[in-house]
Structures are given as C-alpha cells and as structure tokens.
Amino acid sequence: EESLQMWDLNKRLEAYLARVKFLEEENEVLRAEIQNAKGSPAGDSWRAKYEEELRALRDALDHAFREKCTAELARDNLYEEVQQVKSRCQKEQAAREEAKKQLSLSRKELEEERRAQIWLKERAVQLEKEVEALLEVHEEEKAGLDQEIASFSQSLESFRCAPVAFQPVEVEDYSKRLSEIWKGAVETYKTEVSQLEGSLCQAKENLWKAVEDNQQSQLQLQHLEKDLAGLKARKEMLEETLARQWQEQRGEAEKFQLAMEALEQEKQTLRVQIAQVLEDRQQLMHLKMSLSLEVATYRTLLEAESTRLQMPAG
C-alpha cells in the first residue's frame, strides 16, 4: 500500500514536473518574445510607426484647429461685412424714404402750383370779363353821354341864348374827367394783367423746377434701388458663403472627432491588451510559485520518506 502511494506520488510528481517544465519553457519563450519585441527593430519600427501616426494625427488636429480659427476669423469678418451691408441697407432705406418724402413734397408743391396756375388763369379770365364789362359799361355811358350832349345841344339851339350857369366848358371837363378815369382804369387793368403775367411766369418756373426736382428724385430713387438690389445680392452671396463654410467646418470637425474616437478606442484596446498580457504573466508567476511550492513540498516528503526508509536498514 505504501509502494502504491509512492508510485501514485511519483506519477503526480512527474506530471507536475512536466507541467512546470512546460510552463517554464513557455515562460522563457514569452520572455524571449517580449525581449525581442522590446529590443528588435520591428518593435521599434511598430512603436515608431504608432508614434509617427500619432504625431501625424496630432499635426492634423493642430492643422484642423488652425483652420477652425481661420474659419472663425473669416466668419467674424463675414459677420462684420454683413453688419456693414445691413447698416448700408438701412442708410439706403432711410435715404429712399427721405427721397420719397421729398418726392411727395414736390408733388404737393406741383399740385399747389397747378392749382395756383388754374386760379391765376381763372382770375385772368375773370379780369378779362370784368374789363370787357367795364368797356361795355363805358361804351354805354359814353353813348348815353353822347346822346345827352346831342340832346342838350339841340335844346341849346332851340333857345336863343344860353343861361349863364350852364357852359360847354363843364361838358368838356366832364369828358376829360371821364377820359382820365378810363385811362386810370386801363392802366390799373394793364398793371393787374402784368402782375398776373409775372405770377404766371413765376408759377411756370416753379412748375418746371418742381418737375426737374421730381425727375432728379426719380433718378436718385432708381439709383438707390439698384444699389439696394446689389447690396441684397451681395448679402445673399455672403450668407451662402458663410453657410457653406459652416458646413465644411462642421464636416471637418466631425471627421476629426471620428478620428479622435478611433484613436481613443485603439488606445483603450491597447491598454486592455497590455493589461491582459500583464494579468497572464501574473497568473503564470503565481502558478510557477505554487508549482515551486508543491515541488518543494514533494521534495521534502521524498527526502523524509527516503530518510525514514533508510533508517531501519541502517
């Protein structure tokens, strides 16, 4: 029974020794591979390649950051240009409103001048009618006076002698006075007609000035509308350029974000692999230590058993 136990122990010891040897060989192989990976140019090249790729990605990230700063600066410049265009549009709008106001005022002045001209024409026609009526009244009065003078002369001829109080000089004085009144009326009419003609000429000049101002205001309004249309087109173009740059910048940022996420994922994968390798190595060390303890224990048992077997023989 003891020999069977010893034989079983020997088998187990051989199995443990074989396993320890296999693990030691595997450990040596792994150590050699690690050393080769650390010292070989392939490992250095892989590490250098990884560092080079990391450096390239960092340079690309710096370049993207610089491009982002440039794009932001361009965006700020475009925003300032858009604000300037808006301010110019507001100024043009204010100038347009002012031109419209001036045009409305010119139209009102033109309407007033037209009304004044119509009133002057009506006044001239009325004065002409009054002059004609005065002329008719004067002719009638003159004809009546002529008739009275003729009848008076006939009555004088009927008498042999004229009275002392009535003399032909009074009739002449009366006719002279009437002629002076007629001349004064004609001069007054001429003065009023000349004043009306002067007012009519002044109204015509004001009318032409208002028409010219209206034409100039319309031309200025057309120029302002053209400038406003050009500014609107430039504003739309700048907004389209800004939107396109925003889209491009967003796409580049998304690409770099994906690249950074991929690098971070690869970094995490490498960390997991390194941690796995370290854990496997730790497990191998623990296994080696446990096997070493078992071998030492079996060796102690064998030595104790051999000592116990040798002692009776002695």
Side-chain angles (χ1 to χ4, degrees):
E1 187 177 356
E2 289 179 357
S3 63
L4 288 174
Q5 289 179 358
M6 289 297 297
W7 183 77
D8 189 14
L9 289 173
N10 289 326
K11 291 293 183 182
R12 290 178 63 187
L13 182 60
E14 288 178 0
Y16 279 116
L17 290 175
R19 187 176 179 184
V20 168
K21 186 177 181 181
F22 174 74
L23 291 174
E24 286 181 353
E25 290 177 356
E26 189 175 359
N27 194 8
E28 291 295 332
V29 171
L30 290 173
R31 189 181 290 113
E33 288 180 357
I34 291 170
Q35 292 295 328
N36 290 326
K38 288 183 179 179
S40 64
D44 294 336
S45 63
W46 178 79
R47 186 174 181 180
K49 184 177 180 181
Y50 176 74
E51 290 179 354
E52 185 178 358
E53 289 180 356
L54 188 61
R55 192 180 300 109
L57 289 173
R58 286 177 180 173
D59 294 335
L61 185 61
D62 293 334
H63 182 67
F65 183 74
R66 287 193 295 270
E67 288 183 352
K68 181 181 178 182
C69 293
T70 306
E72 289 179 352
L73 183 61
R75 181 195 63 188
D76 294 334
N77 293 328
L78 289 173
Y79 182 75
E80 290 179 358
E81 289 182 1
V82 168
Q83 292 297 325
Q84 291 177 0
V85 169
K86 285 183 179 179
S87 63
R88 287 186 63 186
C89 288
Q90 292 176 358
K91 290 181 181 178
E92 294 294 336
Q93 188 70 23
R96 186 176 179 182
E97 294 294 332
E98 186 67 25
K100 285 183 179 179
K101 290 181 181 179
Q102 291 180 0
L103 182 60
S104 63
L105 292 175
S106 300
R107 287 177 180 174
K108 290 181 180 179
E109 292 177 356
L110 182 62
E111 291 293 332
E112 291 178 357
E113 293 294 334
R114 286 178 180 175
R115 292 175 182 175
Q117 187 179 3
I118 293 169
W119 181 81
L120 289 173
K121 287 181 180 179
E122 293 177 354
R123 183 63 177 167
V125 172
Q126 186 178 3
L127 289 173
E128 288 178 357
K129 289 180 179 180
E130 289 179 358
V131 169
E132 289 177 356
L134 289 173
L135 288 172
E136 290 178 357
V137 171
H138 181 68
E139 290 293 334
E140 291 176 356
E141 289 178 356
K142 187 177 180 182
L145 287 173
D146 290 335
Q147 289 178 1
E148 288 178 0
I149 290 169
S151 64
F152 186 71
S153 62
Q154 289 177 1
S155 65
L156 285 175
E157 288 178 357
S158 64
F159 294 98
R160 292 181 179 179
C161 60
V164 180
F166 182 76
Q167 295 180 0
V169 179
E170 294 179 358
V171 176
E172 292 178 357
D173 292 336
Y174 183 69
S175 62
K176 286 181 181 179
R177 192 176 296 126
L178 287 175
S179 62
E180 288 177 357
I181 291 169
W182 168 250
K183 287 181 181 179
V186 171
E187 291 294 332
T188 304
Y189 172 72
K190 288 181 180 180
T191 304
E192 290 181 356
V193 169
S194 62
Q195 290 178 358
L196 290 173
E197 288 179 352
S199 299
L200 185 61
C201 293
Q202 186 67 28
K204 287 182 179 180
E205 289 179 359
N206 293 328
L207 181 62
W208 282 109
K209 287 181 180 179
V211 171
E212 289 179 357
D213 293 336
N214 189 9
Q215 291 177 356
Q216 291 179 0
S217 298
Q218 287 180 357
L219 291 173
Q220 187 176 2
L221 184 62
Q222 290 177 0
H223 288 302
L224 290 174
E225 287 178 352
K226 289 181 181 179
D227 294 336
L228 183 62
L231 291 173
K232 285 183 178 178
R234 186 177 179 186
K235 180 183 176 182
E236 291 177 356
M237 184 178 66
L238 290 173
E239 288 178 353
E240 290 177 357
T241 305
L242 183 62
R244 187 171 61 253
Q245 288 184 357
W246 267 106
Q247 292 293 332
E248 291 177 355
Q249 184 179 359
R250 187 177 296 173
E252 291 179 356
E254 289 178 355
K255 289 181 181 178
F256 285 113
Q257 186 67 29
L258 291 173
M260 290 296 295
E261 290 178 357
L263 288 173
E264 188 68 25
Q265 187 175 3
E266 186 178 357
K267 182 179 178 182
Q268 293 294 331
T269 305
L270 290 174
R271 284 183 177 177
V272 170
Q273 291 178 358
I274 291 170
Q276 187 67 31
V277 170
L278 292 175
E279 187 178 358
D280 293 339
R281 186 175 179 182
Q282 191 71 25
Q283 289 179 359
L284 289 173
M285 292 296 292
H286 285 296
L287 185 60
K288 183 179 178 182
M289 290 176 65
S290 63
L291 290 173
S292 299
L293 289 173
E294 288 183 0
V295 168
T297 303
Y298 280 112
R299 188 174 294 168
T300 304
L301 290 173
L302 289 173
E303 288 179 355
E305 186 66 24
S306 61
T307 304
R308 186 177 65 81
L309 292 173
Q310 288 176 3
M311 285 177 66

